[in-house]
Amino acid sequence: MTRALSPLDVAALAYDGMAIFELAIAVELFGLPRPEFSEWYRFKVCALELGALRATGGLTLTAQHGIEALARAGTIVIPSWPADAAPPESLVRILRRAHARGARLVSICSGAFVIAPTGLLDGRRATTHWRYASKLAQMYPAITVEPDVLYVDEGDVLTSAGSAAGIDLCLHIVRKDFGEHIANQVARRLVVYPHREGGQAQFVDRAVPKEDSPWLAALQQWTEEHLAEDLPVERLAKQAAMSKRTLSRRFAERAGTSPVEWVIGLRLTRARQLLERTTRGIDEVAAECGFGSAPALRHHFRERLETSPAAYRSHFRMKHGRAGR
């Protein structure tokens, strides 16, 4: 009779060329001995290839298990994966079989690009690093990609956003398996918050992806110089020498958004810069960015970035005398 899988049996994938930080998150959360608890995870690293594996930073490591050991784990962690490389079909098959036996699959950062080809995310929600969210959505349209969250829990398949969001997801898993009290103890030992508010949207550094359209680049430069002013679509269209209808159509094609939403994004980018680099009050920041009032600024921060201007400043403001060191 086949032995039932335990979620406390955790296996993390390692491969040649891996990013070491994401793997280290899995090791720290699930592989570190914790004698203060009566029960903890049984952890192993499973190598995709034989022999010494190269990792970022010039490191090499050797795992004690091959990928066949993944099939015996109740929790399988894919720490990361190159977004432009297809995973081996042998790995995809193992993940499908393990999931069919009851294993839960967990991805950190771009590790979602390994789980996605299994089809197990079709019709479900998932996330990945904000840089790769649109690529994941394009490659796998059956997946509902949530680009702004820290992690997504679909029960037996869990995905996290970029890099450090893997800590948030792994703490969430500890919370599910052992409860709030144990998760808080682990978080204190890591010197991190047990639960972070907001999502990765507050870390995205551009309102829209970089574009090579000259008209859009010129319009963006002009708009950034007039953000404090009223910027209705009619004015943007006039500046771009287009009709309102043509401008809206070209924005949808080139930027994947509307002119109004695009302007809001530019204003939020300016607001973030001012909050990070100056001591100006919230009302002053709101006026300079064209939001008009502090309540309007707070509304758009909460809507787009899932945080408040004050919280954002407390996390990201450059401390005097420390920037650049």
mmCIF file of all heavy atoms in Angstrom, residues 6-11 25-26 29-30 40-41 74-78 104-108 151-160 165-180 182-184 186 194-195:
data_model
loop_
_atom_site.group_PDB
_atom_site.id
_atom_site.type_symbol
_atom_site.label_atom_id
_atom_site.label_comp_id
_atom_site.label_asym_id
_atom_site.label_seq_id
_atom_site.Cartn_x
_atom_site.Cartn_y
_atom_site.Cartn_z
ATOM 1 N N SER A 6 3.019 13.242 3.921
ATOM 2 C CA SER A 6 2.863 14.197 5.009
ATOM 3 C C SER A 6 3.343 15.563 4.546
ATOM 4 O O SER A 6 4.429 15.673 3.967
ATOM 5 C CB SER A 6 3.681 13.768 6.237
ATOM 6 O OG SER A 6 3.752 14.836 7.178
ATOM 7 N N PRO A 7 2.572 16.624 4.794
ATOM 8 C CA PRO A 7 3.020 17.963 4.405
ATOM 9 C C PRO A 7 4.275 18.399 5.143
ATOM 10 O O PRO A 7 4.932 19.358 4.732
ATOM 11 C CB PRO A 7 1.821 18.853 4.750
ATOM 12 C CG PRO A 7 1.065 18.093 5.789
ATOM 13 C CD PRO A 7 1.254 16.649 5.438
ATOM 14 N N LEU A 8 4.620 17.696 6.226
ATOM 15 C CA LEU A 8 5.825 18.045 6.977
ATOM 16 C C LEU A 8 7.086 17.486 6.337
ATOM 17 O O LEU A 8 8.198 17.839 6.742
ATOM 18 C CB LEU A 8 5.708 17.567 8.428
ATOM 19 C CG LEU A 8 4.515 18.098 9.220
ATOM 20 C CD1 LEU A 8 4.625 17.696 10.681
ATOM 21 C CD2 LEU A 8 4.390 19.608 9.090
ATOM 22 N N ASP A 9 6.918 16.600 5.346
ATOM 23 C CA ASP A 9 8.061 16.121 4.556
ATOM 24 C C ASP A 9 8.255 17.098 3.399
ATOM 25 O O ASP A 9 7.487 17.084 2.432
ATOM 26 C CB ASP A 9 7.810 14.708 4.030
ATOM 27 C CG ASP A 9 7.899 13.670 5.129
ATOM 28 O OD1 ASP A 9 8.771 13.808 6.010
ATOM 29 O OD2 ASP A 9 7.082 12.737 5.130
ATOM 30 N N VAL A 10 9.245 17.963 3.515
ATOM 31 C CA VAL A 10 9.441 19.051 2.564
ATOM 32 C C VAL A 10 10.676 18.784 1.720
ATOM 33 O O VAL A 10 11.739 18.422 2.241
ATOM 34 C CB VAL A 10 9.600 20.409 3.288
ATOM 35 C CG1 VAL A 10 9.802 21.543 2.285
ATOM 36 C CG2 VAL A 10 8.396 20.682 4.168
ATOM 37 N N ALA A 11 10.536 18.962 0.410
ATOM 38 C CA ALA A 11 11.662 18.823 -0.517
ATOM 39 C C ALA A 11 11.762 20.082 -1.357
ATOM 40 O O ALA A 11 10.758 20.578 -1.868
ATOM 41 C CB ALA A 11 11.481 17.599 -1.409
ATOM 42 N N ILE A 25 15.843 30.542 1.562
ATOM 43 C CA ILE A 25 14.596 30.792 2.293
ATOM 44 C C ILE A 25 13.955 29.467 2.699
ATOM 45 O O ILE A 25 13.535 29.286 3.848
ATOM 46 C CB ILE A 25 13.624 31.610 1.432
ATOM 47 C CG1 ILE A 25 14.140 33.042 1.272
ATOM 48 C CG2 ILE A 25 12.219 31.621 2.047
ATOM 49 C CD1 ILE A 25 13.325 33.870 0.288
ATOM 50 N N ALA A 26 13.889 28.531 1.751
ATOM 51 C CA ALA A 26 13.297 27.228 2.052
ATOM 52 C C ALA A 26 14.112 26.489 3.116
ATOM 53 O O ALA A 26 13.550 25.862 4.027
ATOM 54 C CB ALA A 26 13.206 26.393 0.778
ATOM 55 N N LEU A 29 13.480 28.271 6.590
ATOM 56 C CA LEU A 29 12.134 28.092 7.157
ATOM 57 C C LEU A 29 11.813 26.639 7.474
ATOM 58 O O LEU A 29 11.166 26.350 8.481
ATOM 59 C CB LEU A 29 11.095 28.654 6.188
ATOM 60 C CG LEU A 29 10.645 30.103 6.380
ATOM 61 C CD1 LEU A 29 9.907 30.300 7.700
ATOM 62 C CD2 LEU A 29 11.809 31.066 6.281
ATOM 63 N N PHE A 30 12.258 25.723 6.613
ATOM 64 C CA PHE A 30 11.850 24.326 6.781
ATOM 65 C C PHE A 30 12.991 23.395 7.189
ATOM 66 O O PHE A 30 12.730 22.326 7.739
ATOM 67 C CB PHE A 30 11.233 23.803 5.486
ATOM 68 C CG PHE A 30 10.060 24.611 5.004
ATOM 69 C CD1 PHE A 30 10.055 25.184 3.742
ATOM 70 C CD2 PHE A 30 8.956 24.815 5.822
ATOM 71 C CE1 PHE A 30 8.984 25.933 3.282
ATOM 72 C CE2 PHE A 30 7.870 25.565 5.380
ATOM 73 C CZ PHE A 30 7.884 26.132 4.106
ATOM 74 N N TRP A 40 8.597 19.183 13.871
ATOM 75 C CA TRP A 40 8.974 20.166 12.858
ATOM 76 C C TRP A 40 9.096 19.452 11.513
ATOM 77 O O TRP A 40 8.861 18.247 11.399
ATOM 78 C CB TRP A 40 10.282 20.864 13.223
ATOM 79 C CG TRP A 40 10.507 22.128 12.446
ATOM 80 C CD1 TRP A 40 11.533 22.406 11.601
ATOM 81 C CD2 TRP A 40 9.669 23.296 12.442
ATOM 82 N NE1 TRP A 40 11.397 23.672 11.059
ATOM 83 C CE2 TRP A 40 10.261 24.232 11.568
ATOM 84 C CE3 TRP A 40 8.478 23.624 13.086
ATOM 85 C CZ2 TRP A 40 9.693 25.476 11.307
ATOM 86 C CZ3 TRP A 40 7.915 24.867 12.848
ATOM 87 C CH2 TRP A 40 8.517 25.786 11.964
ATOM 88 N N TYR A 41 9.453 20.205 10.500
ATOM 89 C CA TYR A 41 9.542 19.661 9.152
ATOM 90 C C TYR A 41 10.757 18.755 8.994
ATOM 91 O O TYR A 41 11.790 18.928 9.648
ATOM 92 C CB TYR A 41 9.635 20.806 8.139
ATOM 93 C CG TYR A 41 8.434 21.716 8.123
ATOM 94 C CD1 TYR A 41 8.441 22.927 8.822
ATOM 95 C CD2 TYR A 41 7.286 21.363 7.425
ATOM 96 C CE1 TYR A 41 7.331 23.764 8.814
ATOM 97 C CE2 TYR A 41 6.171 22.187 7.420
ATOM 98 C CZ TYR A 41 6.201 23.392 8.121
ATOM 99 O OH TYR A 41 5.098 24.210 8.115
ATOM 100 N N GLY A 74 5.633 15.575 0.821
ATOM 101 C CA GLY A 74 4.273 16.081 0.901
ATOM 102 C C GLY A 74 4.179 17.561 0.584
ATOM 103 O O GLY A 74 3.094 18.075 0.320
ATOM 104 N N THR A 75 5.327 18.247 0.626
ATOM 105 C CA THR A 75 5.423 19.651 0.236
ATOM 106 C C THR A 75 6.647 19.806 -0.648
ATOM 107 O O THR A 75 7.754 19.442 -0.232
ATOM 108 C CB THR A 75 5.552 20.583 1.457
ATOM 109 O OG1 THR A 75 4.412 20.427 2.311
ATOM 110 C CG2 THR A 75 5.679 22.040 1.029
ATOM 111 N N ILE A 76 6.453 20.299 -1.849
ATOM 112 C CA ILE A 76 7.560 20.462 -2.800
ATOM 113 C C ILE A 76 7.734 21.944 -3.093
ATOM 114 O O ILE A 76 6.791 22.622 -3.506
ATOM 115 C CB ILE A 76 7.289 19.694 -4.105
ATOM 116 C CG1 ILE A 76 7.128 18.204 -3.816
ATOM 117 C CG2 ILE A 76 8.411 19.936 -5.112
ATOM 118 C CD1 ILE A 76 6.720 17.382 -5.034
ATOM 119 N N VAL A 77 8.931 22.451 -2.861
ATOM 120 C CA VAL A 77 9.227 23.871 -3.038
ATOM 121 C C VAL A 77 10.094 24.063 -4.280
ATOM 122 O O VAL A 77 11.148 23.443 -4.411
ATOM 123 C CB VAL A 77 9.945 24.447 -1.805
ATOM 124 C CG1 VAL A 77 10.200 25.945 -1.990
ATOM 125 C CG2 VAL A 77 9.147 24.191 -0.531
ATOM 126 N N ILE A 78 9.625 24.923 -5.178
ATOM 127 C CA ILE A 78 10.412 25.319 -6.348
ATOM 128 C C ILE A 78 10.909 26.736 -6.056
ATOM 129 O O ILE A 78 10.165 27.703 -6.197
ATOM 130 C CB ILE A 78 9.566 25.309 -7.641
ATOM 131 C CG1 ILE A 78 8.757 24.011 -7.753
ATOM 132 C CG2 ILE A 78 10.453 25.516 -8.847
ATOM 133 C CD1 ILE A 78 9.595 22.760 -7.854
ATOM 134 N N ARG A 104 1.482 19.079 -1.888
ATOM 135 C CA ARG A 104 1.214 20.479 -2.225
ATOM 136 C C ARG A 104 2.474 21.064 -2.853
ATOM 137 O O ARG A 104 3.602 20.757 -2.456
ATOM 138 C CB ARG A 104 0.786 21.280 -0.994
ATOM 139 C CG ARG A 104 1.834 21.409 0.095
ATOM 140 C CD ARG A 104 1.290 22.160 1.317
ATOM 141 N NE ARG A 104 2.262 22.116 2.406
ATOM 142 C CZ ARG A 104 2.006 22.516 3.652
ATOM 143 N NH1 ARG A 104 0.806 22.964 3.962
ATOM 144 N NH2 ARG A 104 2.940 22.456 4.589
ATOM 145 N N LEU A 105 2.267 21.896 -3.852
ATOM 146 C CA LEU A 105 3.366 22.495 -4.591
ATOM 147 C C LEU A 105 3.492 23.960 -4.200
ATOM 148 O O LEU A 105 2.494 24.680 -4.109
ATOM 149 C CB LEU A 105 3.131 22.373 -6.098
ATOM 150 C CG LEU A 105 2.839 20.959 -6.624
ATOM 151 C CD1 LEU A 105 2.738 20.978 -8.148
ATOM 152 C CD2 LEU A 105 3.900 19.970 -6.171
ATOM 153 N N VAL A 106 4.721 24.389 -3.996
ATOM 154 C CA VAL A 106 4.996 25.753 -3.534
ATOM 155 C C VAL A 106 6.068 26.366 -4.436
ATOM 156 O O VAL A 106 7.108 25.748 -4.668
ATOM 157 C CB VAL A 106 5.506 25.754 -2.072
ATOM 158 C CG1 VAL A 106 5.841 27.165 -1.615
ATOM 159 C CG2 VAL A 106 4.505 25.087 -1.149
ATOM 160 N N SER A 107 5.805 27.553 -4.945
ATOM 161 C CA SER A 107 6.831 28.244 -5.737
ATOM 162 C C SER A 107 7.194 29.554 -5.086
ATOM 163 O O SER A 107 6.346 30.241 -4.497
ATOM 164 C CB SER A 107 6.353 28.489 -7.169
ATOM 165 O OG SER A 107 5.348 29.483 -7.214
ATOM 166 N N ILE A 108 8.475 29.899 -5.173
ATOM 167 C CA ILE A 108 8.990 31.182 -4.707
ATOM 168 C C ILE A 108 9.475 31.955 -5.918
ATOM 169 O O ILE A 108 10.188 31.410 -6.766
ATOM 170 C CB ILE A 108 10.131 31.000 -3.689
ATOM 171 C CG1 ILE A 108 9.626 30.261 -2.438
ATOM 172 C CG2 ILE A 108 10.756 32.333 -3.306
ATOM 173 C CD1 ILE A 108 10.718 29.928 -1.435
ATOM 174 N N TYR A 151 1.667 36.723 -1.948
ATOM 175 C CA TYR A 151 1.548 35.295 -2.236
ATOM 176 C C TYR A 151 0.087 34.946 -2.481
ATOM 177 O O TYR A 151 -0.817 35.717 -2.144
ATOM 178 C CB TYR A 151 2.114 34.427 -1.102
ATOM 179 C CG TYR A 151 1.502 34.641 0.250
ATOM 180 C CD1 TYR A 151 0.312 34.006 0.614
ATOM 181 C CD2 TYR A 151 2.115 35.466 1.193
ATOM 182 C CE1 TYR A 151 -0.248 34.193 1.862
ATOM 183 C CE2 TYR A 151 1.559 35.667 2.448
ATOM 184 C CZ TYR A 151 0.375 35.028 2.778
ATOM 185 O OH TYR A 151 -0.185 35.215 4.008
ATOM 186 N N VAL A 152 -0.125 33.775 -3.085
ATOM 187 C CA VAL A 152 -1.468 33.253 -3.348
ATOM 188 C C VAL A 152 -1.527 31.823 -2.826
ATOM 189 O O VAL A 152 -0.668 30.993 -3.151
ATOM 190 C CB VAL A 152 -1.805 33.279 -4.857
ATOM 191 C CG1 VAL A 152 -3.134 32.569 -5.110
ATOM 192 C CG2 VAL A 152 -1.857 34.709 -5.383
ATOM 193 N N ASP A 153 -2.540 31.549 -2.037
ATOM 194 C CA ASP A 153 -2.747 30.209 -1.483
ATOM 195 C C ASP A 153 -3.976 29.600 -2.149
ATOM 196 O O ASP A 153 -5.101 30.022 -1.896
ATOM 197 C CB ASP A 153 -2.949 30.302 0.025
ATOM 198 C CG ASP A 153 -3.143 28.939 0.682
ATOM 199 O OD1 ASP A 153 -3.305 27.942 -0.036
ATOM 200 O OD2 ASP A 153 -3.147 28.889 1.932
ATOM 201 N N GLU A 154 -3.765 28.591 -2.990
ATOM 202 C CA GLU A 154 -4.865 27.875 -3.624
ATOM 203 C C GLU A 154 -5.031 26.489 -3.003
ATOM 204 O O GLU A 154 -5.514 25.558 -3.644
ATOM 205 C CB GLU A 154 -4.621 27.762 -5.130
ATOM 206 C CG GLU A 154 -4.841 29.064 -5.892
ATOM 207 C CD GLU A 154 -6.317 29.392 -6.069
ATOM 208 O OE1 GLU A 154 -7.156 28.568 -5.662
ATOM 209 O OE2 GLU A 154 -6.642 30.467 -6.604
ATOM 210 N N GLY A 155 -4.598 26.370 -1.763
ATOM 211 C CA GLY A 155 -4.767 25.111 -1.046
ATOM 212 C C GLY A 155 -3.629 24.150 -1.287
ATOM 213 O O GLY A 155 -2.723 24.014 -0.458
ATOM 214 N N ASP A 156 -3.654 23.468 -2.418
ATOM 215 C CA ASP A 156 -2.614 22.493 -2.721
ATOM 216 C C ASP A 156 -1.551 23.033 -3.671
ATOM 217 O O ASP A 156 -0.594 22.329 -3.994
ATOM 218 C CB ASP A 156 -3.225 21.208 -3.296
ATOM 219 C CG ASP A 156 -4.133 21.490 -4.483
ATOM 220 O OD1 ASP A 156 -4.294 22.676 -4.851
ATOM 221 O OD2 ASP A 156 -4.689 20.527 -5.045
ATOM 222 N N VAL A 157 -1.702 24.273 -4.107
ATOM 223 C CA VAL A 157 -0.680 24.943 -4.922
ATOM 224 C C VAL A 157 -0.573 26.377 -4.404
ATOM 225 O O VAL A 157 -1.551 27.123 -4.393
ATOM 226 C CB VAL A 157 -1.029 24.957 -6.424
ATOM 227 C CG1 VAL A 157 0.113 25.565 -7.216
ATOM 228 C CG2 VAL A 157 -1.332 23.550 -6.929
ATOM 229 N N LEU A 158 0.636 26.744 -3.982
ATOM 230 C CA LEU A 158 0.856 28.065 -3.412
ATOM 231 C C LEU A 158 2.002 28.738 -4.157
ATOM 232 O O LEU A 158 3.030 28.095 -4.449
ATOM 233 C CB LEU A 158 1.186 27.977 -1.924
ATOM 234 C CG LEU A 158 0.156 27.267 -1.020
ATOM 235 C CD1 LEU A 158 0.493 25.773 -0.897
ATOM 236 C CD2 LEU A 158 0.142 27.901 0.368
ATOM 237 N N THR A 159 1.852 30.019 -4.461
ATOM 238 C CA THR A 159 2.862 30.754 -5.210
ATOM 239 C C THR A 159 3.176 32.059 -4.505
ATOM 240 O O THR A 159 2.299 32.666 -3.888
ATOM 241 C CB THR A 159 2.388 31.055 -6.648
ATOM 242 O OG1 THR A 159 1.121 31.741 -6.587
ATOM 243 C CG2 THR A 159 2.222 29.777 -7.449
ATOM 244 N N SER A 160 4.443 32.495 -4.599
ATOM 245 C CA SER A 160 4.820 33.763 -3.970
ATOM 246 C C SER A 160 5.338 34.728 -5.015
ATOM 247 O O SER A 160 5.743 34.336 -6.116
ATOM 248 C CB SER A 160 5.884 33.552 -2.888
ATOM 249 O OG SER A 160 7.186 33.637 -3.431
ATOM 250 N N ALA A 165 9.413 37.790 -0.824
ATOM 251 C CA ALA A 165 8.028 37.407 -0.570
ATOM 252 C C ALA A 165 7.930 35.914 -0.272
ATOM 253 O O ALA A 165 6.930 35.455 0.291
ATOM 254 C CB ALA A 165 7.141 37.769 -1.754
ATOM 255 N N GLY A 166 8.964 35.155 -0.639
ATOM 256 C CA GLY A 166 8.995 33.751 -0.286
ATOM 257 C C GLY A 166 9.002 33.539 1.221
ATOM 258 O O GLY A 166 8.475 32.538 1.722
ATOM 259 N N ILE A 167 9.593 34.481 1.961
ATOM 260 C CA ILE A 167 9.560 34.397 3.424
ATOM 261 C C ILE A 167 8.125 34.515 3.920
ATOM 262 O O ILE A 167 7.690 33.768 4.800
ATOM 263 C CB ILE A 167 10.444 35.495 4.047
ATOM 264 C CG1 ILE A 167 11.907 35.324 3.602
ATOM 265 C CG2 ILE A 167 10.332 35.476 5.572
ATOM 266 C CD1 ILE A 167 12.822 36.448 4.050
ATOM 267 N N ASP A 168 7.386 35.471 3.333
ATOM 268 C CA ASP A 168 5.986 35.645 3.717
ATOM 269 C C ASP A 168 5.175 34.383 3.456
ATOM 270 O O ASP A 168 4.373 33.960 4.293
ATOM 271 C CB ASP A 168 5.374 36.818 2.943
ATOM 272 C CG ASP A 168 6.067 38.132 3.237
ATOM 273 O OD1 ASP A 168 5.730 38.766 4.250
ATOM 274 O OD2 ASP A 168 6.957 38.515 2.464
ATOM 275 N N LEU A 169 5.396 33.767 2.279
ATOM 276 C CA LEU A 169 4.647 32.561 1.953
ATOM 277 C C LEU A 169 5.024 31.406 2.871
ATOM 278 O O LEU A 169 4.150 30.679 3.365
ATOM 279 C CB LEU A 169 4.882 32.172 0.493
ATOM 280 C CG LEU A 169 4.235 30.852 0.048
ATOM 281 C CD1 LEU A 169 2.734 30.858 0.304
ATOM 282 C CD2 LEU A 169 4.524 30.577 -1.422
ATOM 283 N N CYS A 170 6.315 31.234 3.116
ATOM 284 C CA CYS A 170 6.736 30.120 3.967
ATOM 285 C C CYS A 170 6.243 30.297 5.404
ATOM 286 O O CYS A 170 5.861 29.322 6.061
ATOM 287 C CB CYS A 170 8.252 29.973 3.918
ATOM 288 S SG CYS A 170 8.870 29.393 2.319
ATOM 289 N N LEU A 171 6.222 31.532 5.900
ATOM 290 C CA LEU A 171 5.645 31.774 7.222
ATOM 291 C C LEU A 171 4.145 31.475 7.223
ATOM 292 O O LEU A 171 3.602 30.971 8.208
ATOM 293 C CB LEU A 171 5.887 33.223 7.653
ATOM 294 C CG LEU A 171 7.258 33.535 8.236
ATOM 295 C CD1 LEU A 171 7.417 35.040 8.439
ATOM 296 C CD2 LEU A 171 7.489 32.797 9.550
ATOM 297 N N HIS A 172 3.487 31.790 6.117
ATOM 298 C CA HIS A 172 2.066 31.461 5.981
ATOM 299 C C HIS A 172 1.863 29.946 6.056
ATOM 300 O O HIS A 172 0.918 29.468 6.697
ATOM 301 C CB HIS A 172 1.553 32.004 4.651
ATOM 302 C CG HIS A 172 0.185 31.547 4.284
ATOM 303 N ND1 HIS A 172 -0.958 31.972 4.938
ATOM 304 C CD2 HIS A 172 -0.231 30.674 3.314
ATOM 305 C CE1 HIS A 172 -2.016 31.387 4.392
ATOM 306 N NE2 HIS A 172 -1.606 30.600 3.412
ATOM 307 N N ILE A 173 2.746 29.193 5.431
ATOM 308 C CA ILE A 173 2.654 27.731 5.470
ATOM 309 C C ILE A 173 2.879 27.223 6.888
ATOM 310 O O ILE A 173 2.153 26.329 7.370
ATOM 311 C CB ILE A 173 3.666 27.102 4.492
ATOM 312 C CG1 ILE A 173 3.243 27.409 3.046
ATOM 313 C CG2 ILE A 173 3.784 25.592 4.710
ATOM 314 C CD1 ILE A 173 4.283 27.034 2.008
ATOM 315 N N VAL A 174 3.869 27.779 7.584
ATOM 316 C CA VAL A 174 4.093 27.417 8.986
ATOM 317 C C VAL A 174 2.837 27.708 9.811
ATOM 318 O O VAL A 174 2.419 26.910 10.666
ATOM 319 C CB VAL A 174 5.303 28.176 9.561
ATOM 320 C CG1 VAL A 174 5.421 27.944 11.070
ATOM 321 C CG2 VAL A 174 6.591 27.753 8.859
ATOM 322 N N ARG A 175 2.208 28.846 9.542
ATOM 323 C CA ARG A 175 0.992 29.231 10.261
ATOM 324 C C ARG A 175 -0.121 28.218 10.006
ATOM 325 O O ARG A 175 -0.869 27.850 10.915
ATOM 326 C CB ARG A 175 0.567 30.633 9.821
ATOM 327 C CG ARG A 175 -0.515 31.279 10.699
ATOM 328 C CD ARG A 175 -0.816 32.706 10.233
ATOM 329 N NE ARG A 175 0.369 33.542 10.322
ATOM 330 C CZ ARG A 175 1.035 34.031 9.269
ATOM 331 N NH1 ARG A 175 0.613 33.788 8.046
ATOM 332 N NH2 ARG A 175 2.098 34.773 9.431
ATOM 333 N N LYS A 176 -0.237 27.764 8.755
ATOM 334 C CA LYS A 176 -1.256 26.760 8.414
ATOM 335 C C LYS A 176 -0.984 25.435 9.114
ATOM 336 O O LYS A 176 -1.898 24.761 9.566
ATOM 337 C CB LYS A 176 -1.283 26.542 6.891
ATOM 338 C CG LYS A 176 -1.877 27.678 6.096
ATOM 339 C CD LYS A 176 -1.840 27.381 4.608
ATOM 340 C CE LYS A 176 -2.539 26.083 4.273
ATOM 341 N NZ LYS A 176 -3.228 26.131 2.968
ATOM 342 N N ASP A 177 0.284 25.055 9.175
ATOM 343 C CA ASP A 177 0.638 23.730 9.689
ATOM 344 C C ASP A 177 0.710 23.674 11.208
ATOM 345 O O ASP A 177 0.377 22.643 11.812
ATOM 346 C CB ASP A 177 1.986 23.296 9.107
ATOM 347 C CG ASP A 177 1.928 23.027 7.615
ATOM 348 O OD1 ASP A 177 0.814 22.842 7.082
ATOM 349 O OD2 ASP A 177 2.997 23.017 6.967
ATOM 350 N N PHE A 178 1.159 24.784 11.840
ATOM 351 C CA PHE A 178 1.424 24.749 13.291
ATOM 352 C C PHE A 178 0.689 25.819 14.088
ATOM 353 O O PHE A 178 0.765 25.814 15.311
ATOM 354 C CB PHE A 178 2.929 24.875 13.549
ATOM 355 C CG PHE A 178 3.731 23.699 13.081
ATOM 356 C CD1 PHE A 178 4.417 23.735 11.873
ATOM 357 C CD2 PHE A 178 3.801 22.538 13.833
ATOM 358 C CE1 PHE A 178 5.158 22.657 11.433
ATOM 359 C CE2 PHE A 178 4.540 21.449 13.412
ATOM 360 C CZ PHE A 178 5.216 21.496 12.202
ATOM 361 N N GLY A 179 0.023 26.743 13.401
ATOM 362 C CA GLY A 179 -0.721 27.764 14.124
ATOM 363 C C GLY A 179 0.012 29.090 14.247
ATOM 364 O O GLY A 179 1.216 29.198 13.987
ATOM 365 N N GLU A 180 -0.753 30.081 14.678
ATOM 366 C CA GLU A 180 -0.254 31.456 14.757
ATOM 367 C C GLU A 180 0.899 31.601 15.739
ATOM 368 O O GLU A 180 1.886 32.294 15.473
ATOM 369 C CB GLU A 180 -1.409 32.383 15.175
ATOM 370 C CG GLU A 180 -1.106 33.851 15.047
ATOM 371 C CD GLU A 180 -1.293 34.346 13.630
ATOM 372 O OE1 GLU A 180 -2.079 33.754 12.888
ATOM 373 O OE2 GLU A 180 -0.626 35.354 13.287
ATOM 374 N N ILE A 182 3.242 29.469 16.825
ATOM 375 C CA ILE A 182 4.512 28.936 16.335
ATOM 376 C C ILE A 182 5.056 29.819 15.209
ATOM 377 O O ILE A 182 6.254 30.121 15.152
ATOM 378 C CB ILE A 182 4.351 27.485 15.853
ATOM 379 C CG1 ILE A 182 3.935 26.582 17.009
ATOM 380 C CG2 ILE A 182 5.629 26.979 15.207
ATOM 381 C CD1 ILE A 182 4.944 26.493 18.125
ATOM 382 N N ALA A 183 4.178 30.255 14.299
ATOM 383 C CA ALA A 183 4.619 31.116 13.198
ATOM 384 C C ALA A 183 5.214 32.412 13.732
ATOM 385 O O ALA A 183 6.223 32.914 13.204
ATOM 386 C CB ALA A 183 3.454 31.405 12.261
ATOM 387 N N ASN A 184 4.631 32.978 14.773
ATOM 388 C CA ASN A 184 5.165 34.205 15.369
ATOM 389 C C ASN A 184 6.537 33.978 15.988
ATOM 390 O O ASN A 184 7.427 34.831 15.889
ATOM 391 C CB ASN A 184 4.199 34.739 16.431
ATOM 392 C CG ASN A 184 2.928 35.309 15.830
ATOM 393 O OD1 ASN A 184 2.847 35.539 14.627
ATOM 394 N ND2 ASN A 184 1.931 35.533 16.672
ATOM 395 N N VAL A 186 8.736 31.730 15.003
ATOM 396 C CA VAL A 186 9.674 31.592 13.891
ATOM 397 C C VAL A 186 10.004 32.955 13.302
ATOM 398 O O VAL A 186 11.162 33.256 12.991
ATOM 399 C CB VAL A 186 9.096 30.653 12.806
ATOM 400 C CG1 VAL A 186 9.996 30.620 11.573
ATOM 401 C CG2 VAL A 186 8.914 29.249 13.364
ATOM 402 N N PRO A 194 5.634 38.802 11.333
ATOM 403 C CA PRO A 194 4.887 37.568 11.065
ATOM 404 C C PRO A 194 3.989 37.698 9.844
ATOM 405 O O PRO A 194 3.746 36.726 9.140
ATOM 406 C CB PRO A 194 4.065 37.350 12.334
ATOM 407 C CG PRO A 194 4.748 38.153 13.379
ATOM 408 C CD PRO A 194 5.361 39.324 12.681
ATOM 409 N N HIS A 195 3.483 38.924 9.613
ATOM 410 C CA HIS A 195 2.627 39.143 8.446
ATOM 411 C C HIS A 195 2.837 40.567 7.962
ATOM 412 O O HIS A 195 2.752 41.511 8.744
ATOM 413 C CB HIS A 195 1.151 38.936 8.804
ATOM 414 C CG HIS A 195 0.226 39.247 7.671
ATOM 415 N ND1 HIS A 195 0.085 38.413 6.588
ATOM 416 C CD2 HIS A 195 -0.578 40.314 7.431
ATOM 417 C CE1 HIS A 195 -0.786 38.945 5.749
ATOM 418 N NE2 HIS A 195 -1.192 40.101 6.238
#
